[in-house]
Amino acid sequence: MPLPPQVEAVVSSNGLATDAGIEILQAGGTAADASVAVAAVLSVVEPYYSSVLGGDTWALYYDVDGGAVTSMNGIGPVGANATLADYAPRAGDYGMHQAILPGAWDGWMVWLSEYGELGLGEVLAPAIAVARDGYPVSAEMTFWLTQQEANIRNSPVMSGLYLRDGALISTGGTAYLPEMADTFDELVQAYDGEGDHASGVQAARDYFYRGPIAESMVAFSDQFGGYFTQEDFSDYEAEIVEPISIEYDDETTVYQNPPNSQGIAMLQALNILKDQDYSGLAPDDPDVVHRQIEAVKLAYVDRFEYVGGPDRAEVPVDELLSDEYAATQRERIDMGSAAEWPIEAGLDRQSTDTTTFHITDRLGNAAAVTTSLGGQFLVVGDTGIHINERMNFMSLDPDNVNVVAPGATVRHTSNPYMALRGGKPYLLGGNTGIDTQPQAQVQQFMNIVEFGMTPQESVAQPRFVSTAFPASNFPYAADNILHVETSYSLAAVDNLRGRGDNIAVGIGIFGTANILQLGEDGTTAQIGAEPRNETASGEVIPVG
């Protein structure tokens, strides 16, 4: 029996993207259709964070018809021409050799095929319009362009996009990305050349991975020392895979993306932290924070030791997420002392930059998305495609499960989460910032579930970020520093220092977060839009 009309809502890091998602929902699109629209607009207005064309994506989808959560793995492999010997001397350098095969586009097309209702032209129309007509440059964009100024000036293509009369475009100016609009148009034309939705989606996939776009990217890769081959593209297909999950309490199941995503670290930390008595405590109580920090450390050590691409690493997921293992890990936490790297993994050894958004539709479907480029700023020729730098997240250690190898899949930092309560979507969330992601998500989830905060209060709450484990990206340092935001409780900071934490106040990658919380019957929603980001926004369309 169909559900009564459910609440429609979108929260993202940019108002233009949120508007696009709302437009698609009101046109009768599903959460999947709206997700593609939002992701495409973000590719235009936040080209330093994500790209549906040059990036990669992990996402979760609740399909009301099946009553189940699925995971979209839109992560491409390392190029076939890559070797550890060639990459290692260039690991810290800017360039095309930092890119893995972009898997996001195929993942989005899989979603349109499986869960979408609208045509490709309709869902890409907002992004094409924004790219052609231009959009206002935010202070955040000015910051990122300033960081990348040298690379922009060294590229005639990027200079044409981001310089005006020899100067970087700046806050209050207008940015235009016509080449990206052209590429979107070409994909729509490929779709429109077929007679039905399924064939059109496949045509758009083929145009990208087995047609002119792949040819352009391989040629650019060959010219500038990258690792792509034509076969890398033609052989690639994104997948819908089974998510991983834990039972947080009797009513709440928390889902994450499976390895090679690092999402398992959030679930491990929550498993350690659950079944504790938090009554009468606040989120910044030193005992609460210390438990969270130490649980995060233990989870991240396991991530470092065991999590890699499932094609070459047998990740012991069931054991890592078992209640028995969580209990043994919980016993390792010393409430009076902070652990420092090196920290032993709990099992015997087995043989930035990102954006996040969340959507629900009138049918009861829900999407939690984190999509990323990494930190590099590089446009591929005249395609308008901003390419990722995920090679920078591969290990140079031959004994590590995440070591550079041709065709390998990277241990990926993107990991949105979705919680169901009573079998229905309850919380959709994500936090950007490389290794910040799972640990900030733990804090935000507990802020709501254990401490009764609203989503907006939760994302506004000051964050901590531990670095007591090897970082995901080059040069992979384990700094043993606890970073806290300037507004963090001074009493908590002093107490944690007394337990041995080496604390840096106001310095760190705290990321940005967006949360969508649904009411029990699915007809109401609350949004938490990142207050640290001036462009973040959310909108709820009331039922009826």
Side-chain angles (χ1 to χ4, degrees), residues 4-26:
Q6 302 288 285
V7 68
E8 297 178 293
V10 180
V11 60
S12 83
S13 57
N14 191 281
L16 291 173
T18 297
D19 290 346
I22 293 293
E23 177 184 332
I24 294 302
L25 292 176
Q26 292 186 318

Side-chain angles (χ1 to χ4, degrees), residues 417-470:
Y417 69 91
M418 181 181 295
L420 304 190
R421 178 162 280 185
K424 297 179 181 178
Y426 163 54
L427 279 180
L428 316 178
N431 198 106
T432 69
I434 313 176
D435 295 326
T436 302
Q437 294 185 48
Q439 51 186 312
Q441 291 168 14
V442 166
Q443 296 165 66
Q444 290 146 20
F445 177 90
M446 293 185 68
N447 287 343
I448 294 171
V449 175
E450 297 289 356
F451 303 112
M453 286 187 172
T454 67
Q456 193 60 51
E457 290 169 339
S458 179
V459 298
Q461 178 75 5
R463 294 171 196 150
F464 71 76
V465 178
S466 174
T467 60
F469 40 80

Side-chain angles (χ1 to χ4, degrees), residues 90-241:
R90 301 193 285 162
D93 298 340
Y94 172 88
M96 190 63 188
H97 65 288
Q98 296 288 10
I100 63 171
L101 186 90
W105 181 256
D106 209 54
W108 291 122
M109 293 304 96
V110 169
W111 263 23
L112 283 190
S113 178
E114 292 289 328
Y115 308 121
E117 296 288 345
L118 303 184
L120 184 60
E122 193 165 3
V123 299
L124 290 185
I128 293 170
V130 172
R132 287 205 193 288
D133 298 342
Y135 58 94
V137 176
S138 65
E140 187 170 28
M141 184 172 186
T142 298
F143 170 81
W144 283 103
L145 293 180
T146 301
Q147 299 297 305
Q148 296 291 336
E149 183 170 4
N151 295 328
I152 290 170
R153 291 188 179 278
N154 286 333
S155 165
V157 171
M158 292 197 294
S159 294
L161 295 173
Y162 297 111
L163 297 182
R164 301 284 186 274
D165 298 323
L168 285 174
I169 54 176
S170 58
T171 307
T174 304
Y176 303 89
L177 297 181
E179 290 87 355
M180 192 186 299
D182 290 343
T183 296
F184 282 143
D185 271 335
E186 292 168 13
L187 290 161
V188 171
Q189 290 167 19
Y191 175 94
D192 289 344
E194 302 296 325
D196 61 83
H197 181 66
S199 299
V201 169
Q202 186 60 51
R205 298 171 75 182
D206 290 340
Y207 189 89
F208 191 106
Y209 291 94
R210 287 161 282 279
I213 294 177
E215 292 167 5
S216 295
M217 283 202 273
V218 171
F220 189 87
S221 176
D222 289 344
Q223 182 179 0
F224 293 102
Y227 298 127
F228 294 162
T229 69
Q230 204 68 47
E231 291 74 21
D232 292 332
F233 282 88
S234 61
D235 292 346
Y236 176 70
E237 289 187 354
E239 297 180 281
I240 291 180
V241 297

Side-chain angles (χ1 to χ4, degrees), residues 48-378:
Y48 37 86
Y49 277 161
S50 68
S51 173
V52 296
L53 301 171
D56 30 52
T57 299
W58 278 108
L60 296 167
Y61 198 81
Y62 176 80
D63 177 25
V64 69
D65 289 339
V69 179
T70 60
S71 174
M72 181 246 280
N73 179 351
I75 313 298
V78 171
N81 287 334
T83 65
L84 179 58
D86 183 82
Y87 179 74
R90 301 193 285 162
D93 298 340
Y94 172 88
M96 190 63 188
H97 65 288
Q98 296 288 10
I100 63 171
L101 186 90
W105 181 256
D106 209 54
W108 291 122
M109 293 304 96
V110 169
W111 263 23
L112 283 190
S113 178
E114 292 289 328
Y115 308 121
E117 296 288 345
L118 303 184
L120 184 60
E122 193 165 3
V123 299
L124 290 185
I128 293 170
V130 172
R132 287 205 193 288
D133 298 342
Y135 58 94
V137 176
S138 65
E140 187 170 28
M141 184 172 186
T142 298
F143 170 81
W144 283 103
L145 293 180
T146 301
Q147 299 297 305
Q148 296 291 336
E149 183 170 4
N151 295 328
I152 290 170
R153 291 188 179 278
N154 286 333
S155 165
V157 171
M158 292 197 294
S159 294
L161 295 173
Y162 297 111
L163 297 182
R164 301 284 186 274
D165 298 323
L168 285 174
I169 54 176
S170 58
T171 307
T174 304
Y176 303 89
L177 297 181
E179 290 87 355
M180 192 186 299
D182 290 343
T183 296
F184 282 143
D185 271 335
E186 292 168 13
L187 290 161
V188 171
Q189 290 167 19
Y191 175 94
D192 289 344
E194 302 296 325
D196 61 83
H197 181 66
S199 299
V201 169
Q202 186 60 51
R205 298 171 75 182
D206 290 340
Y207 189 89
F208 191 106
Y209 291 94
R210 287 161 282 279
I213 294 177
E215 292 167 5
S216 295
M217 283 202 273
V218 171
F220 189 87
S221 176
D222 289 344
Q223 182 179 0
F224 293 102
Y227 298 127
F228 294 162
T229 69
Q230 204 68 47
E231 291 74 21
D232 292 332
F233 282 88
S234 61
D235 292 346
Y236 176 70
E237 289 187 354
E239 297 180 281
I240 291 180
V241 297
E242 288 291 321
I244 56 177
S245 64
I246 62 163
E247 301 298 321
Y248 185 78
D249 58 34
D250 291 342
E251 294 185 324
T252 310
T253 305
V254 187
Y255 290 87
Q256 265 287 357
N257 302 276
N260 50 304
S261 167
Q262 69 168 340
I264 192 172
M266 180 211 186
L267 299 186
Q268 284 187 258
L270 285 180
N271 236 11
I272 295 169
L273 293 163
K274 71 182 185 182
D275 297 331
Q276 306 295 295
D277 184 6
Y278 298 101
S279 59
L281 299 176
D284 60 356
D285 183 283
D287 280 349
V288 171
V289 177
H290 181 74
R291 281 188 186 277
Q292 290 177 333
I293 293 166
E294 298 305 297
V296 161
K297 291 175 184 177
L298 294 172
Y300 273 69
V301 169
D302 283 348
R303 182 202 67 169
F304 174 72
E305 289 289 342
Y306 309 120
V307 177
D311 53 319
R312 58 178 178 156
E314 190 173 337
V315 185
V317 171
D318 291 343
E319 192 168 359
L320 291 171
L321 293 183
S322 70
D323 287 342
E324 293 77 12
Y325 183 60
T328 64
Q329 292 287 76
R330 192 177 299 129
E331 290 174 2
R332 296 177 64 187
I333 295 176
D334 182 340
M335 290 301 294
S337 178
E340 289 191 346
W341 180 262
I343 303 169
E344 291 294 323
L347 298 179
D348 291 335
R349 176 76 182 185
Q350 307 290 309
S351 295
T352 198
D353 295 37
T354 307
T355 193
T356 185
F357 63 87
H358 314 291
I359 299 174
T360 61
D361 65 30
R362 71 197 183 284
L363 303 173
N365 302 305
V369 178
T370 302
T371 184
S372 180
L373 276 176
Q376 183 166 254
F377 203 66
L378 176 62

